[in-house]
Coordinates of all heavy atoms in Angstrom, one line a residue:
M1022 N 14.2 2.9 -25.7 CA 12.7 3.1 -25.8 C 12.0 2.2 -24.8 O 12.5 1.1 -24.5 CB 12.3 2.7 -27.3 CG 10.9 3.0 -27.6 SD 10.4 2.3 -29.2 CE 10.9 3.6 -30.3
R1023 N 10.9 2.6 -24.3 CA 10.1 1.9 -23.4 C 9.5 0.6 -24.0 O 9.4 0.6 -25.2 CB 9.0 2.7 -22.8 CG 9.5 3.9 -22.0 CD 8.3 4.5 -21.3 NE 7.9 3.8 -20.2 CZ 8.1 4.2 -18.9 NH1 8.5 5.4 -18.7 NH2 7.7 3.5 -17.9
R1024 N 9.1 -0.3 -23.2 CA 8.6 -1.6 -23.7 C 7.4 -1.4 -24.6 O 7.2 -2.0 -25.6 CB 8.2 -2.4 -22.4 CG 7.6 -3.7 -22.7 CD 7.7 -4.5 -21.3 NE 7.3 -3.7 -20.2 CZ 6.1 -3.7 -19.7 NH1 5.2 -4.5 -20.1 NH2 5.8 -2.9 -18.6
N1025 N 6.6 -0.4 -24.3 CA 5.3 -0.1 -25.0 C 5.5 0.8 -26.2 O 4.5 1.1 -26.9 CB 4.2 0.5 -24.1 CG 3.7 -0.5 -23.1 OD1 3.9 -1.7 -23.4 ND2 3.2 -0.1 -22.0
G1026 N 6.7 1.2 -26.5 CA 7.0 2.2 -27.5 C 6.4 1.7 -28.9 O 5.8 2.5 -29.6
L1027 N 6.6 0.5 -29.2 CA 6.2 0.0 -30.5 C 4.7 0.0 -30.6 O 4.1 0.2 -31.6 CB 6.8 -1.4 -30.8 CG 8.2 -1.4 -31.4 CD1 8.6 -2.8 -31.6 CD2 8.2 -0.6 -32.7
V1028 N 4.0 -0.3 -29.5 CA 2.6 -0.4 -29.5 C 2.0 1.0 -29.8 O 1.1 1.2 -30.6 CB 2.1 -0.9 -28.1 CG1 0.5 -0.8 -28.1 CG2 2.6 -2.3 -27.8
W1029 N 2.6 2.0 -29.2 CA 2.1 3.4 -29.4 C 2.5 3.8 -30.8 O 1.7 4.5 -31.4 CB 2.7 4.3 -28.4 CG 2.2 4.1 -27.0 CD1 2.8 3.6 -25.9 CD2 0.8 4.2 -26.7 NE1 1.9 3.4 -24.9 CE2 0.7 3.8 -25.3 CE3 -0.4 4.6 -27.4 CZ2 -0.6 3.8 -24.7 CZ3 -1.6 4.6 -26.7 CH2 -1.7 4.2 -25.4
L1030 N 3.6 3.4 -31.3 CA 4.0 3.8 -32.6 C 2.9 3.2 -33.6 O 2.4 3.8 -34.5 CB 5.4 3.2 -32.9 CG 5.9 3.6 -34.3 CD1 6.0 5.1 -34.5 CD2 7.3 3.0 -34.5
A1031 N 2.6 1.9 -33.4 CA 1.6 1.2 -34.2 C 0.3 1.9 -34.2 O -0.4 2.2 -35.2 CB 1.5 -0.2 -33.8
A1032 N -0.1 2.3 -33.0 CA -1.4 3.0 -32.8 C -1.4 4.4 -33.5 O -2.4 4.8 -34.1 CB -1.7 3.2 -31.3
A1033 N -0.2 5.1 -33.4 CA -0.1 6.4 -34.1 C -0.2 6.2 -35.6 O -0.8 7.1 -36.3 CB 1.2 7.0 -33.7
I1034 N 0.3 5.1 -36.1 CA 0.2 5.0 -37.6 C -1.2 4.6 -38.0 O -1.7 5.1 -39.0 CB 1.3 3.9 -38.0 CG1 2.7 4.4 -37.8 CG2 1.0 3.5 -39.5 CD1 3.7 3.4 -37.9
A1035 N -1.8 3.7 -37.2 CA -3.2 3.2 -37.5 C -4.2 4.3 -37.4 O -5.2 4.4 -38.1 CB -3.5 2.1 -36.6
L1036 N -4.1 5.2 -36.4 CA -5.1 6.2 -36.1 C -4.5 7.6 -36.1 O -4.5 8.2 -35.0 CB -5.8 5.9 -34.8 CG -6.5 4.6 -34.6 CD1 -6.8 4.3 -33.2 CD2 -7.8 4.6 -35.4
P1037 N -4.0 8.1 -37.1 CA -3.3 9.4 -37.1 C -4.2 10.6 -36.5 O -3.7 11.4 -35.8 CB -2.9 9.7 -38.5 CG -3.6 8.8 -39.3 CD -4.0 7.6 -38.5
A1038 N -5.5 10.6 -36.9 CA -6.4 11.7 -36.5 C -6.7 11.6 -35.0 O -6.9 12.6 -34.3 CB -7.6 11.7 -37.3
Q1039 N -6.8 10.4 -34.4 CA -7.3 10.3 -33.1 C -6.3 9.9 -32.0 O -6.5 9.8 -30.9 CB -8.4 9.2 -33.0 CG -9.6 9.5 -33.8 CD -10.3 8.3 -34.4 OE1 -10.2 7.2 -33.8 NE2 -10.9 8.5 -35.5
A1040 N -5.0 9.6 -32.5 CA -4.0 9.1 -31.6 C -3.8 10.0 -30.4 O -3.6 11.2 -30.6 CB -2.7 8.8 -32.4
A1041 N -3.9 9.4 -29.2 CA -3.6 10.2 -28.0 C -2.1 10.3 -27.9 O -1.3 9.5 -28.4 CB -4.2 9.5 -26.8
D1042 N -1.7 11.4 -27.2 CA -0.2 11.7 -27.1 C 0.2 11.4 -25.7 O 0.0 12.2 -24.8 CB 0.0 13.1 -27.5 CG 1.4 13.6 -27.4 OD1 2.3 12.8 -26.9 OD2 1.7 14.7 -27.8
P1043 N 0.9 10.3 -25.4 CA 1.3 10.0 -24.1 C 2.3 10.9 -23.5 O 2.3 11.1 -22.2 CB 1.8 8.6 -24.2 CG 2.1 8.3 -25.6 CD 1.3 9.2 -26.4
R1044 N 3.1 11.6 -24.3 CA 4.0 12.6 -23.7 C 3.3 13.8 -23.2 O 3.7 14.3 -22.1 CB 5.1 13.0 -24.8 CG 6.3 12.1 -24.7 CD 7.3 12.5 -25.7 NE 6.8 12.2 -27.0 CZ 7.4 12.5 -28.1 NH1 8.6 13.0 -28.1 NH2 6.8 12.2 -29.3
Q1045 N 2.4 14.3 -24.0 CA 1.5 15.4 -23.5 C 0.8 14.9 -22.2 O 0.7 15.7 -21.2 CB 0.5 15.7 -24.6 CG -0.5 16.8 -24.2 CD 0.0 18.2 -24.5 OE1 1.1 18.3 -25.0 NE2 -0.8 19.1 -24.2
G1046 N 0.3 13.7 -22.3 CA -0.4 13.1 -21.1 C 0.5 13.1 -19.9 O 0.0 13.3 -18.7
A1047 N 1.8 12.8 -20.0 CA 2.7 12.7 -18.9 C 2.8 14.1 -18.2 O 2.8 14.1 -16.9 CB 4.0 12.3 -19.4
E1048 N 2.8 15.1 -18.9 CA 2.9 16.5 -18.3 C 1.6 16.8 -17.6 O 1.7 17.3 -16.4 CB 3.1 17.5 -19.4 CG 4.5 17.5 -19.9 CD 4.7 18.5 -21.1 OE1 3.9 19.5 -21.1 OE2 5.5 18.2 -22.0
L1049 N 0.5 16.5 -18.2 CA -0.8 16.8 -17.5 C -1.0 15.9 -16.3 O -1.5 16.4 -15.2 CB -2.0 16.5 -18.5 CG -2.0 17.5 -19.7 CD1 -3.0 17.0 -20.7 CD2 -2.5 18.9 -19.2
Y1050 N -0.5 14.6 -16.4 CA -0.6 13.7 -15.2 C 0.2 14.3 -14.1 O -0.2 14.3 -12.9 CB -0.1 12.3 -15.7 CG -0.1 11.3 -14.5 CD1 -1.2 10.6 -14.2 CD2 1.1 11.1 -13.8 CE1 -1.2 9.7 -13.1 CE2 1.1 10.2 -12.8 CZ -0.1 9.5 -12.4 OH -0.1 8.6 -11.4
A1051 N 1.4 14.7 -14.4 CA 2.3 15.3 -13.3 C 1.6 16.4 -12.6 O 1.7 16.6 -11.4 CB 3.6 15.7 -13.9
R1052 N 0.9 17.3 -13.4 CA 0.3 18.5 -12.8 C -1.0 18.1 -12.0 O -1.2 18.7 -11.0 CB 0.0 19.4 -13.9 CG -0.1 20.9 -13.5 CD -0.3 21.9 -14.6 NE 0.5 21.5 -15.8 CZ 0.1 21.8 -17.0 NH1 -1.0 22.3 -17.3 NH2 0.9 21.5 -18.0
H1053 N -1.8 17.3 -12.6 CA -3.2 17.1 -12.1 C -3.4 15.8 -11.2 O -4.3 15.8 -10.5 CB -4.2 17.1 -13.2 CG -4.3 18.4 -13.9 ND1 -5.0 19.4 -13.5 CD2 -3.7 18.7 -15.1 CE1 -4.9 20.4 -14.3 NE2 -4.1 20.1 -15.3
C1054 N -2.6 14.8 -11.4 CA -2.9 13.5 -10.9 C -1.9 12.9 -10.0 O -2.2 12.1 -9.1 CB -3.1 12.5 -12.0 SG -4.0 13.2 -13.5
S1055 N -0.6 13.3 -10.2 CA 0.5 12.5 -9.5 C 0.5 12.7 -8.0 O 1.0 11.9 -7.3 CB 1.8 12.9 -10.1 OG 2.1 14.3 -9.9
H1056 N -0.1 13.8 -7.5 CA 0.0 14.0 -6.0 C -0.9 12.9 -5.3 O -0.7 12.7 -4.1 CB -0.4 15.4 -5.6 CG -1.7 15.9 -6.2 ND1 -1.8 16.3 -7.5 CD2 -2.9 16.1 -5.6 CE1 -3.0 16.8 -7.7 NE2 -3.7 16.6 -6.6
C1057 N -1.9 12.3 -6.0 CA -2.6 11.2 -5.4 C -2.1 9.8 -6.0 O -2.1 8.8 -5.3 CB -4.1 11.3 -5.7 SG -4.9 12.6 -4.8
H1058 N -1.9 9.8 -7.3 CA -1.6 8.6 -8.0 C -0.1 8.2 -8.0 O 0.3 7.1 -8.5 CB -2.2 8.6 -9.4 CG -3.7 8.4 -9.3 ND1 -4.3 7.2 -9.0 CD2 -4.7 9.3 -9.6 CE1 -5.6 7.4 -9.1 NE2 -5.9 8.7 -9.4
G1059 N 0.8 9.2 -7.7 CA 2.2 8.9 -7.7 C 2.8 9.1 -9.0 O 2.2 8.8 -10.1
G1060 N 4.0 9.6 -9.1 CA 4.7 9.9 -10.4 C 4.8 8.7 -11.2 O 4.8 8.8 -12.5
D1061 N 5.0 7.5 -10.6 CA 5.2 6.3 -11.4 C 4.0 5.4 -11.4 O 4.0 4.3 -11.8 CB 6.4 5.5 -10.9 CG 6.2 5.1 -9.4 OD1 5.2 5.5 -8.8 OD2 7.2 4.5 -8.9
G1062 N 2.8 6.0 -10.9 CA 1.6 5.2 -10.9 C 1.4 4.4 -9.6 O 0.3 3.9 -9.4
R1063 N 2.4 4.3 -8.8 CA 2.2 3.7 -7.5 C 1.5 4.7 -6.6 O 2.1 5.8 -6.3 CB 3.5 3.2 -6.9 CG 3.9 1.8 -7.4 CD 5.3 1.5 -6.9 NE 6.2 1.7 -8.0 CZ 6.8 0.7 -8.7 NH1 6.7 -0.5 -8.3 NH2 7.5 1.0 -9.7
P1064 N 0.4 4.4 -6.0 CA -0.4 5.4 -5.3 C 0.2 6.0 -4.1 O 0.8 5.3 -3.3 CB -1.7 4.6 -5.0 CG -1.4 3.2 -5.0 CD -0.3 3.0 -6.0
V1065 N 0.0 7.3 -4.0 CA 0.4 8.0 -2.8 C -0.8 7.9 -1.8 O -0.6 7.8 -0.6 CB 0.6 9.5 -3.1 CG1 0.9 10.3 -1.9 CG2 1.8 9.6 -4.1
M1066 N -2.0 8.0 -2.3 CA -3.2 7.9 -1.6 C -3.6 6.4 -1.5 O -3.7 5.8 -2.5 CB -4.3 8.7 -2.2 CG -5.6 8.8 -1.5 SD -6.8 9.8 -2.3 CE -6.7 11.2 -1.3
P1067 N -3.8 5.9 -0.3 CA -4.0 4.4 -0.2 C -5.2 3.9 -1.0 O -5.1 2.8 -1.5 CB -4.3 4.2 1.3 CG -3.7 5.4 2.0 CD -3.8 6.5 1.0
A1068 N -6.3 4.6 -1.1 CA -7.4 4.1 -1.8 C -7.3 4.1 -3.3 O -8.1 3.5 -4.0 CB -8.7 4.9 -1.4
A1069 N -6.3 4.7 -3.8 CA -6.1 4.9 -5.3 C -5.6 3.6 -5.9 O -4.7 2.9 -5.3 CB -5.2 6.1 -5.6
P1070 N -6.0 3.2 -7.1 CA -5.5 2.0 -7.8 C -4.0 2.1 -8.1 O -3.5 3.2 -8.3 CB -6.3 1.9 -9.0 CG -6.9 3.3 -9.3 CD -7.0 3.9 -7.9
D1071 N -3.3 1.0 -8.2 CA -1.9 1.0 -8.6 C -1.7 0.8 -10.1 O -1.9 -0.3 -10.6 CB -1.2 -0.2 -7.8 CG 0.3 -0.2 -8.0 OD1 0.8 0.5 -8.9 OD2 1.0 -0.8 -7.2
F1072 N -1.4 1.9 -10.8 CA -1.3 1.9 -12.2 C -0.1 1.1 -12.7 O 0.0 0.9 -13.9 CB -1.3 3.3 -12.8 CG -2.6 4.1 -12.5 CD1 -2.5 5.4 -12.2 CD2 -3.8 3.5 -12.6 CE1 -3.7 6.2 -12.0 CE2 -5.0 4.2 -12.4 CZ -4.9 5.5 -12.1
S1073 N 0.9 0.8 -11.8 CA 2.1 0.1 -12.3 C 1.8 -1.4 -12.4 O 2.7 -2.1 -12.9 CB 3.2 0.4 -11.3 OG 3.0 -0.3 -10.1
R1074 N 0.7 -1.9 -11.9 CA 0.4 -3.3 -11.9 C -0.2 -3.7 -13.3 O -1.0 -3.0 -13.9 CB -0.7 -3.6 -10.9 CG -0.2 -3.6 -9.5 CD -1.1 -4.3 -8.6 NE -0.5 -4.5 -7.3 CZ -1.2 -4.9 -6.3 NH1 -2.4 -5.2 -6.4 NH2 -0.6 -5.0 -5.1
P1075 N 0.2 -4.9 -13.8 CA -0.4 -5.3 -15.1 C -1.9 -5.5 -15.1 O -2.5 -5.4 -16.1 CB 0.3 -6.7 -15.3 CG 1.1 -7.0 -14.1 CD 1.1 -5.8 -13.2
T1076 N -2.5 -5.7 -13.9 CA -3.9 -5.9 -13.8 C -4.7 -4.6 -13.7 O -5.9 -4.6 -13.8 CB -4.3 -6.8 -12.6 OG1 -3.6 -6.1 -11.4 CG2 -3.8 -8.2 -12.7
A1077 N -4.0 -3.5 -13.7 CA -4.6 -2.2 -13.6 C -5.1 -1.8 -15.0 O -4.5 -2.2 -16.0 CB -3.7 -1.1 -13.0
L1078 N -6.1 -0.9 -15.1 CA -6.5 -0.3 -16.3 C -6.9 -1.3 -17.4 O -6.6 -1.1 -18.6 CB -5.3 0.6 -16.9 CG -4.8 1.7 -16.0 CD1 -3.5 2.3 -16.5 CD2 -5.9 2.8 -15.8
L1079 N -7.6 -2.3 -17.0 CA -8.1 -3.3 -17.9 C -9.4 -2.7 -18.7 O -9.8 -3.2 -19.7 CB -8.5 -4.6 -17.3 CG -7.2 -5.3 -16.7 CD1 -7.7 -6.6 -16.0 CD2 -6.2 -5.6 -17.8
K1080 N -10.0 -1.7 -18.1 CA -11.2 -1.1 -18.7 C -10.7 -0.3 -20.0 O -9.6 0.2 -20.1 CB -11.8 -0.1 -17.8 CG -12.3 -0.8 -16.5 CD -12.8 0.2 -15.5 CE -13.2 -0.4 -14.2 NZ -13.4 0.5 -13.1
P1081 N -11.7 -0.3 -21.0 CA -11.4 0.5 -22.2 C -11.2 2.0 -21.9 O -11.7 2.5 -20.9 CB -12.5 0.2 -23.1 CG -13.6 -0.4 -22.3 CD -13.0 -0.9 -21.0
D1082 N -10.5 2.7 -22.8 CA -10.2 4.1 -22.7 C -11.5 4.9 -22.4 O -11.5 5.8 -21.6 CB -9.5 4.6 -24.0 CG -8.1 4.2 -24.1 OD1 -7.6 3.4 -23.2 OD2 -7.4 4.6 -25.1
T1083 N -12.6 4.6 -23.1 CA -13.8 5.4 -23.0 C -14.4 5.2 -21.6 O -14.9 6.2 -21.1 CB -14.8 4.9 -24.0 OG1 -14.9 3.5 -24.0 CG2 -14.5 5.4 -25.4
T1084 N -14.2 4.1 -21.0 CA -14.7 3.9 -19.6 C -13.9 4.6 -18.6 O -14.4 5.3 -17.7 CB -14.7 2.3 -19.3 OG1 -15.4 1.6 -20.3 CG2 -15.3 2.1 -17.9
L1085 N -12.6 4.6 -18.8 CA -11.7 5.4 -17.9 C -11.9 6.9 -18.1 O -12.0 7.6 -17.1 CB -10.2 5.0 -18.2 CG -9.8 3.6 -18.0 CD1 -8.4 3.3 -18.5 CD2 -9.9 3.3 -16.5
L1086 N -12.2 7.3 -19.4 CA -12.5 8.7 -19.6 C -13.7 9.1 -18.8 O -13.7 10.2 -18.2 CB -12.7 8.9 -21.1 CG -13.3 10.2 -21.6 CD1 -12.4 11.4 -21.3 CD2 -13.7 10.2 -23.1
A1087 N -14.7 8.3 -18.9 CA -16.0 8.6 -18.2 C -15.7 8.7 -16.7 O -16.3 9.6 -16.0 CB -17.1 7.6 -18.5
A1088 N -14.9 7.8 -16.1 CA -14.7 7.8 -14.7 C -13.9 9.0 -14.3 O -14.2 9.6 -13.2 CB -13.9 6.5 -14.3
I1089 N -12.9 9.4 -15.1 CA -12.1 10.6 -14.8 C -12.9 11.9 -14.9 O -12.8 12.8 -14.1 CB -10.8 10.7 -15.7 CG1 -10.0 9.4 -15.4 CG2 -10.1 11.9 -15.5 CD1 -8.9 9.1 -16.4
R1090 N -13.8 11.9 -15.9 CA -14.7 13.1 -16.1 C -15.6 13.2 -14.9 O -15.8 14.3 -14.4 CB -15.6 12.9 -17.3 CG -15.0 13.2 -18.6 CD -15.8 12.7 -19.7 NE -16.6 13.7 -20.3 CZ -17.4 13.5 -21.3 NH1 -17.6 12.3 -21.8 NH2 -18.1 14.5 -21.8
A1091 N -16.2 12.1 -14.4 CA -17.2 12.2 -13.4 C -16.6 12.2 -12.0 O -17.3 12.6 -11.0 CB -18.1 10.9 -13.5
G1092 N -15.3 11.8 -11.8 CA -14.7 11.6 -10.5 C -15.2 10.3 -9.9 O -16.1 9.7 -10.3
R1093 N -14.5 9.9 -8.8 CA -14.8 8.6 -8.2 C -14.3 8.6 -6.8 O -13.1 8.9 -6.6 CB -14.1 7.6 -9.0 CG -14.5 6.2 -8.6 CD -14.6 5.4 -9.9 NE -15.3 4.2 -9.5 CZ -15.0 3.0 -9.9 NH1 -14.1 2.8 -10.9 NH2 -15.6 1.9 -9.5
G1094 N -15.1 8.3 -5.8 CA -14.6 8.3 -4.4 C -14.0 9.6 -4.1 O -14.6 10.7 -4.2
A1095 N -12.7 9.5 -3.6 CA -12.0 10.7 -3.2 C -11.5 11.5 -4.4 O -10.9 12.6 -4.2 CB -10.8 10.3 -2.3
M1096 N -11.6 11.0 -5.6 CA -11.1 11.7 -6.8 C -12.1 12.7 -7.3 O -13.2 12.4 -7.5 CB -10.8 10.7 -7.9 CG -10.2 11.3 -9.1 SD -9.5 10.2 -10.3 CE -10.9 9.3 -11.0
P1097 N -11.6 13.9 -7.5 CA -12.5 15.0 -8.0 C -12.9 14.7 -9.5 O -12.3 14.0 -10.2 CB -11.7 16.3 -7.9 CG -10.3 15.8 -7.9 CD -10.2 14.4 -7.3
A1098 N -14.0 15.4 -9.9 CA -14.4 15.3 -11.3 C -13.6 16.2 -12.1 O -13.3 17.3 -11.7 CB -15.9 15.7 -11.4
Y1099 N -13.2 15.8 -13.3 CA -12.3 16.6 -14.2 C -13.1 17.2 -15.4 O -12.5 17.9 -16.2 CB -11.1 15.8 -14.7 CG -10.1 15.7 -13.5 CD1 -10.1 14.7 -12.7 CD2 -9.2 16.8 -13.3 CE1 -9.3 14.6 -11.6 CE2 -8.4 16.7 -12.2 CZ -8.4 15.7 -11.4 OH -7.5 15.6 -10.3
Q1100 N -14.4 16.9 -15.5 CA -15.2 17.5 -16.6 C -15.2 19.0 -16.4 O -15.4 19.5 -15.3 CB -16.6 17.0 -16.5 CG -17.4 17.4 -17.7 CD -18.6 16.5 -17.9 OE1 -19.1 15.9 -17.0 NE2 -19.0 16.4 -19.2
G1101 N -14.9 19.8 -17.4 CA -14.8 21.2 -17.3 C -13.4 21.7 -16.9 O -13.1 22.9 -17.2
L1102 N -12.6 20.9 -16.3 CA -11.2 21.2 -16.0 C -10.2 20.8 -17.1 O -9.3 21.5 -17.5 CB -10.8 20.6 -14.7 CG -11.4 21.2 -13.4 CD1 -11.0 20.3 -12.2 CD2 -11.0 22.6 -13.2
L1103 N -10.5 19.6 -17.6 CA -9.6 19.0 -18.7 C -10.5 18.7 -19.9 O -11.6 18.2 -19.7 CB -8.9 17.8 -18.2 CG -7.9 18.0 -17.1 CD1 -7.4 16.6 -16.6 CD2 -6.7 18.7 -17.6
R1104 N -10.0 18.9 -21.1 CA -10.8 18.5 -22.3 C -10.7 16.9 -22.4 O -9.7 16.3 -21.9 CB -10.2 19.1 -23.5 CG -10.3 20.6 -23.5 CD -9.5 21.2 -24.7 NE -8.1 20.8 -24.7 CZ -7.3 21.0 -25.7 NH1 -7.7 21.5 -26.8 NH2 -6.0 20.6 -25.5
D1105 N -11.7 16.3 -23.1 CA -11.6 14.9 -23.3 C -10.3 14.5 -23.9 O -9.7 13.4 -23.6 CB -12.8 14.4 -24.2 CG -14.1 14.5 -23.4 OD1 -14.1 14.8 -22.2 OD2 -15.1 14.2 -24.0
R1106 N -9.9 15.3 -24.9 CA -8.6 15.0 -25.6 C -7.4 14.9 -24.6 O -6.6 14.0 -24.7 CB -8.3 16.2 -26.5 CG -8.1 15.9 -27.9 CD -7.2 16.9 -28.5 NE -6.1 16.3 -29.0 CZ -6.1 15.5 -30.1 NH1 -7.2 15.4 -30.8 NH2 -5.0 14.9 -30.5
D1107 N -7.4 15.8 -23.6 CA -6.4 15.9 -22.6 C -6.4 14.6 -21.7 O -5.4 14.0 -21.4 CB -6.5 17.1 -21.7 CG -6.2 18.4 -22.5 OD1 -5.5 18.4 -23.5 OD2 -6.8 19.4 -22.1
I1108 N -7.7 14.3 -21.4 CA -7.8 13.1 -20.5 C -7.4 11.8 -21.3 O -6.7 11.0 -20.7 CB -9.3 12.9 -20.0 CG1 -9.7 14.1 -19.1 CG2 -9.5 11.6 -19.3 CD1 -11.1 14.2 -18.7
L1109 N -7.7 11.7 -22.5 CA -7.3 10.6 -23.3 C -5.7 10.5 -23.5 O -5.1 9.5 -23.5 CB -8.0 10.5 -24.7 CG -9.5 10.2 -24.6 CD1 -10.1 10.4 -25.9 CD2 -9.7 8.8 -24.1
D1110 N -5.1 11.7 -23.6 CA -3.6 11.8 -23.6 C -3.1 11.2 -22.2 O -2.1 10.5 -22.2 CB -3.1 13.2 -23.7 CG -3.3 13.7 -25.2 OD1 -3.6 12.9 -26.1 OD2 -3.1 14.9 -25.4
I1111 N -3.8 11.6 -21.1 CA -3.3 11.1 -19.8 C -3.5 9.6 -19.7 O -2.6 8.9 -19.3 CB -4.1 11.8 -18.7 CG1 -3.8 13.3 -18.7 CG2 -3.7 11.2 -17.3 CD1 -4.6 14.1 -17.7
V1112 N -4.7 9.1 -20.2 CA -4.9 7.6 -20.2 C -3.8 6.9 -21.0 O -3.3 5.9 -20.6 CB -6.3 7.3 -20.7 CG1 -6.5 5.8 -21.0 CG2 -7.4 7.8 -19.7
A1113 N -3.4 7.5 -22.1 CA -2.3 6.9 -23.0 C -1.0 6.8 -22.1 O -0.3 5.9 -22.2 CB -2.1 7.7 -24.2
H1114 N -0.8 7.9 -21.4 CA 0.4 7.9 -20.5 C 0.3 6.8 -19.4 O 1.2 6.1 -19.2 CB 0.6 9.3 -19.9 CG 1.5 9.3 -18.7 ND1 2.9 9.1 -18.9 CD2 1.4 9.4 -17.4 CE1 3.5 9.1 -17.8 NE2 2.6 9.3 -16.8
L1115 N -0.9 6.7 -18.8 CA -1.1 5.7 -17.8 C -0.8 4.3 -18.3 O -0.2 3.5 -17.6 CB -2.6 5.7 -17.3 CG -3.1 7.0 -16.5 CD1 -4.5 6.8 -16.1 CD2 -2.2 7.2 -15.3
R1116 N -1.1 4.1 -19.5 CA -0.9 2.7 -20.1 C 0.6 2.4 -20.3 O 1.0 1.3 -20.5 CB -1.7 2.5 -21.4 CG -3.2 2.5 -21.1 CD -4.0 2.0 -22.3 NE -5.4 2.1 -22.1 CZ -6.2 1.3 -21.3 NH1 -5.6 0.4 -20.5 NH2 -7.5 1.5 -21.2
T1117 N 1.4 3.5 -20.2 CA 2.9 3.2 -20.3 C 3.5 2.9 -19.0 O 4.7 2.6 -18.9 CB 3.6 4.5 -20.9 OG1 3.6 5.5 -20.0 CG2 3.0 5.0 -22.2
L1118 N 2.7 3.1 -17.9 CA 3.3 2.9 -16.5 C 3.4 1.4 -16.1 O 4.1 1.1 -15.2 CB 2.5 3.7 -15.5 CG 2.4 5.2 -15.7 CD1 1.5 5.9 -14.7 CD2 3.8 5.8 -15.6
R1119 N 2.6 0.6 -16.8 CA 2.6 -0.8 -16.4 C 3.9 -1.5 -16.8 O 4.5 -1.2 -17.7 CB 1.4 -1.5 -17.1 CG 0.1 -1.1 -16.4 CD -1.0 -1.9 -17.0 NE -1.3 -1.5 -18.3 CZ -2.2 -2.0 -19.1 NH1 -2.9 -3.1 -18.6 NH2 -2.5 -1.6 -20.3
Ligands
HEC812 C1 -7.4 13.6 -4.7 C2 -6.7 12.5 -5.1 C3 -6.9 12.1 -6.6 C4 -6.6 12.9 -7.7 C5 -6.1 14.3 -7.7 C6 -6.8 12.0 -8.8 N1 -7.2 10.8 -8.4 FE1 -7.7 9.2 -9.7 N2 -8.4 8.2 -8.1 C7 -8.2 8.6 -6.8 C8 -8.8 7.5 -5.9 C9 -8.9 7.6 -4.4 C10 -9.3 6.5 -6.8 C11 -10.1 5.3 -6.4 C12 -11.6 5.7 -6.4 C13 -12.5 4.6 -5.9 O1 -12.6 3.6 -6.5 O2 -13.1 4.8 -4.8 C14 -9.0 7.0 -8.1 C15 -9.3 6.2 -9.3 C16 -8.8 6.5 -10.5 C17 -9.0 5.7 -11.7 C18 -9.7 4.3 -11.7 C19 -11.1 4.5 -12.2 C20 -11.8 3.2 -12.5 O3 -12.9 3.3 -12.9 O4 -11.2 2.2 -12.3 C21 -8.4 6.3 -12.7 C22 -8.3 5.8 -14.2 C23 -7.9 7.6 -12.2 N3 -8.2 7.7 -10.9 C24 -7.2 8.5 -13.0 C25 -6.9 9.8 -12.5 C26 -6.4 10.8 -13.4 C27 -6.1 10.7 -14.8 C28 -6.3 11.9 -12.6 C29 -5.8 13.3 -13.0 C30 -6.5 14.0 -14.1 C31 -6.7 11.6 -11.2 N4 -7.1 10.3 -11.2 C32 -6.6 12.4 -10.1 C33 -7.6 9.7 -6.3 C34 -7.3 10.8 -7.1

């Protein structure tokens, strides 16, 4: 089991209705994000943040959701392409990459 497995398990027990699904997020990430952000979170595109670093993703989920919906710099907007639920699943996956 990954280092963060217990954290996700605890979150899933605490918030059954809202818990994001990092496994679902991993599939969506591979399809929509990995060509810029790298399969393991280490960026392919130089300007993209390194999600494998412990200092990455310090912002709360809702802030990251807003950034992904709106797009940022070279990153396209995902509003209308992905549901908020899907984006939150991806954010849950991103948090397992550190
Ligand atoms: C075309 C390349 C590209 C794609 C595709 C892409 N990104 Fe990005 N992403 C970037 C770049 C470049 C940045 C840095 C933007 C900046 O700060 O100028 C970034 C920034 C981010 C950030 C940091 C935002 C912040 O506020 O700190 C997150 C989180 C993120 N991307 C998630 C995703 C997710 C999730 C997907 C897939 C749904 C995705 N990105 C798809 C290039 C991309």
Side-chain angles (χ1 to χ4, degrees):
M1022 190 188 272
R1023 296 188 79 112
R1024 184 161 43 98
N1025 289 338
L1027 276 180
V1028 175
W1029 290 115
L1030 183 61
I1034 291 166
L1036 296 167
Q1039 294 148 31
D1042 179 352
R1044 262 179 301 176
Q1045 175 88 2
E1048 286 175 29
L1049 292 165
Y1050 178 84
R1052 204 175 321 147
H1053 295 281
C1054 321
S1055 63
H1056 52 285
C1057 290
H1058 286 287
D1061 59 359
R1063 273 173 260 250
V1065 176
M1066 184 179 257
D1071 186 344
F1072 296 140
S1073 71
R1074 290 199 171 168
T1076 50
L1078 302 169
L1079 294 178
K1080 297 171 186 169
D1082 288 2
T1083 48
T1084 306
L1085 296 172
L1086 169 67
I1089 295 162
R1090 283 166 99 179
R1093 190 140 191 218
M1096 178 165 74
Y1099 284 92
Q1100 188 157 28
L1102 289 174
L1103 292 171
R1104 296 174 302 168
D1105 286 358
R1106 232 207 125 73
D1107 295 330
I1108 296 175
L1109 289 173
D1110 285 349
I1111 297 173
V1112 169
H1114 167 67
L1115 292 180
R1116 294 198 186 284
T1117 70
L1118 297 175
R1119 285 185 289 177

